[in-house]
Amino acid sequence: MDRTETPCGLDVALLVIGGKWKPLILFHVQDGPTRFSEIRRRVGGVSEKVLIQQLRDLVEMNVLLRRDHHRVPPVVDYALTPFGETLVTALAPLCEWGTVNRERVSAMRESTAMERNALVG
Amino acid sequence: MDRTETPCGLDVALLVIGGKWKPLILFHVQDGPTRFSEIRRRVGGVSEKVLIQQLRDLVEMNVLLRRDHHRVPPVVDYALTPFGETLVTALAPLCEWGTVNRERVSAMRESTAMERNALVG
C-alpha cells in the first residue's frame, strides 16, 4: 500500500465538511427547512459573510437544498438533501463522543490555558 | 430547548479535531507509534510548522502521546492514547462515508469548477 494515500475516505468527507462551521450548520438544519437568520442564531459566533459562503459550498456539494420563497422581504431557507442526511448520520458517533467527553475536554482546555498563563506570568 | 445550544457534542469534538489536518493525522498514526517525518510524508501537503503545532495541540488534549527517544539525531514519535483511540473509532463512519462517496464528490467538485470557469470565461 502506498502510505501517502489516505487510509480511508476521511479526505473526501473533509472536502465536504471541512471548515469550522459546516458540521454545526448540518446539525442545525436537520429538523427541517431552516431560515438563514435562524441558522445564524443557532450556530452562533459566525459572521453573515462567512455563513453565506459556507451555505453556498454545502448547496454546491448537494448537501443542502436552498429554497427561495420569492417574497418581499426575502424568505430563504435551507434543508438537508437525502445525500446530506447520509452525512449527518455518519457524523452522529462524533456527536456522541463529544457529549460523553464534554467535561473531560473542558477540563483539559482549562488546565492547558492555566499552564500557558503560568509560563508567561 | 434553547436553540442556540449545539444539539449534540459536535462542538466538543470540533474543539479537539477542528482544523484541516487533525483528523488525517489521527488516521495516519493509528497503526502504532509513527515518527514525525513519516507522519509528514503520509499526511502530505502540510508544512513542518503547521504539523508541529497540530501535533502539539493533539498531545495537549491527550489524544496523542509524544515519545522522545533521546537520540542524536533526534527520534520522536507519536501514537494514539486510549482516549485518542475512542476518537478514531467515532471518526470511522465518516471515513466509510467518504469511501462510498469518493467518486460522487469528485464529480461534483469538477462540475462546480467548470461552472465557475464558464462564468469568468
Side-chain angles (χ1 to χ4, degrees):
Chain A
M1 177 185 168
D2 178 355
R3 299 301 315 212
T4 60
E5 255 181 65
T6 304
C8 73
L10 201 56
D11 58 325
V12 177
L14 292 173
L15 283 176
V16 180
I17 51 150
K20 190 173 173 189
W21 304 104
K22 286 175 190 168
L24 290 178
I25 292 169
L26 298 192
F27 268 85
H28 285 296
V29 303
Q30 69 178 325
D31 293 335
T34 309
R35 290 181 62 172
F36 179 85
S37 54
E38 180 63 18
I39 296 172
R40 191 170 172 201
R41 199 177 70 75
R42 290 183 190 177
V43 171
V46 62
S47 75
E48 186 166 303
K49 186 181 163 188
V50 168
L51 183 56
I52 287 171
Q53 184 56 54
Q54 304 257 305
L55 288 167
R56 190 174 292 157
D57 291 346
L58 290 167
V59 170
E60 273 183 353
M61 296 306 274
N62 193 32
V63 170
L64 292 185
L65 182 70
R66 178 185 189 274
R67 291 190 313 179
D68 184 339
H69 294 262
H70 300 293
R71 292 202 205 133
V72 181
V75 175
V76 173
D77 61 31
Y78 295 84
L80 290 172
T81 62
F83 182 57
E85 279 169 16
T86 65
L87 185 49
V88 168
T89 302
L91 279 166
L94 209 53
C95 290
E96 284 159 33
W97 184 92
T99 303
V100 168
N101 292 293
R102 184 177 295 277
E103 287 184 22
R104 179 176 184 155
V105 170
S106 291
M108 282 192 293
R109 280 167 62 84
E110 275 169 32
S111 87
T112 301
M114 267 161 45
E115 276 169 36
R116 285 201 183 125
N117 289 340
L119 283 172
V120 298
Chain B
M1 175 184 170
D2 179 356
R3 299 302 312 212
T4 59
E5 255 181 68
T6 304
C8 72
L10 201 55
D11 57 327
V12 177
L14 292 174
L15 282 177
V16 180
I17 52 149
K20 190 173 173 189
W21 305 104
K22 286 175 190 169
L24 290 178
I25 292 170
L26 297 192
F27 268 85
H28 285 297
V29 303
Q30 69 178 326
D31 294 334
T34 310
R35 291 182 61 172
F36 179 85
S37 55
E38 180 63 18
I39 296 172
R40 190 170 172 201
R41 201 176 70 74
R42 290 183 191 176
V43 171
V46 63
S47 75
E48 186 167 304
K49 186 182 162 189
V50 168
L51 183 56
I52 287 171
Q53 184 56 52
Q54 305 256 306
L55 288 167
R56 190 174 292 156
D57 291 347
L58 289 167
V59 170
E60 273 184 353
M61 296 307 274
N62 192 31
V63 170
L64 292 186
L65 182 70
R66 178 184 189 273
R67 291 190 312 178
D68 184 337
H69 293 261
H70 300 292
R71 291 202 206 133
V72 181
V75 175
V76 174
D77 62 31
Y78 295 84
L80 290 172
T81 62
F83 182 58
E85 279 168 16
T86 65
L87 185 49
V88 169
T89 302
L91 279 167
L94 210 53
C95 290
E96 285 160 32
W97 184 92
T99 303
V100 168
N101 292 293
R102 185 178 294 277
E103 288 185 21
R104 180 176 183 155
V105 170
S106 291
M108 281 191 294
R109 280 167 62 85
E110 274 169 33
S111 85
T112 301
M114 269 164 38
E115 277 169 34
R116 284 197 183 129
N117 288 340
L119 284 173
V120 297

